[in-house]
Amino acid sequence: MYKAAALGEYDSIYGFATIGLETFPVSDPEEAGKTLDHLAEAEYAVVYITESVASKIQNTIDKYKESVLPAVILIPGVSGNTGAGIQGVKKSVEQAIGSDILFGGTN
């Protein structure tokens, strides 16, 4: 059975444990990158990562963009929303359907 995890600053992710996700608090980019690699090897299906941590490990995240697992989903943290998560979803939808979902344009 596949699992889901939350990766980021402790204050931003500790609540995910109440809904059954495993939490992986990290304090520096090197630790975050290694943890994401570990989660991918352990066949986690979904990894939620706070936007602030994701911005520091973009190269590691990019390794998994074409992979089936894990799906890496950016979420806002306690420090606020940078909009990176929404932009990522928007870009994925545009690639899938060939159109900007907000403005109806074609690519």
Side-chain angles (χ1 to χ4, degrees), residues 46-83:
V46 179
V47 179
Y48 296 97
I49 302 180
T50 58
E51 292 172 339
S52 59
V53 168
S55 69
K56 297 172 187 161
I57 63 165
Q58 192 59 53
N59 289 339
T60 304
I61 292 170
D62 287 345
K63 291 191 309 187
Y64 301 107
K65 282 193 175 185
E66 300 299 320
S67 301
V68 174
L69 297 177
V72 177
I73 311 296
L74 303 187
I75 57 172
V78 294
S79 59
N81 184 352
T82 66

Side-chain angles (χ1 to χ4, degrees), residues 4-10 13 21-26 35 38-39 44:
L7 173 67
E9 305 85 1
Y10 176 80
I13 64 165
L21 274 68
E22 294 187 49
T23 58
F24 295 86
V26 293
T35 302
H38 165 74
L39 295 173
Y44 278 75

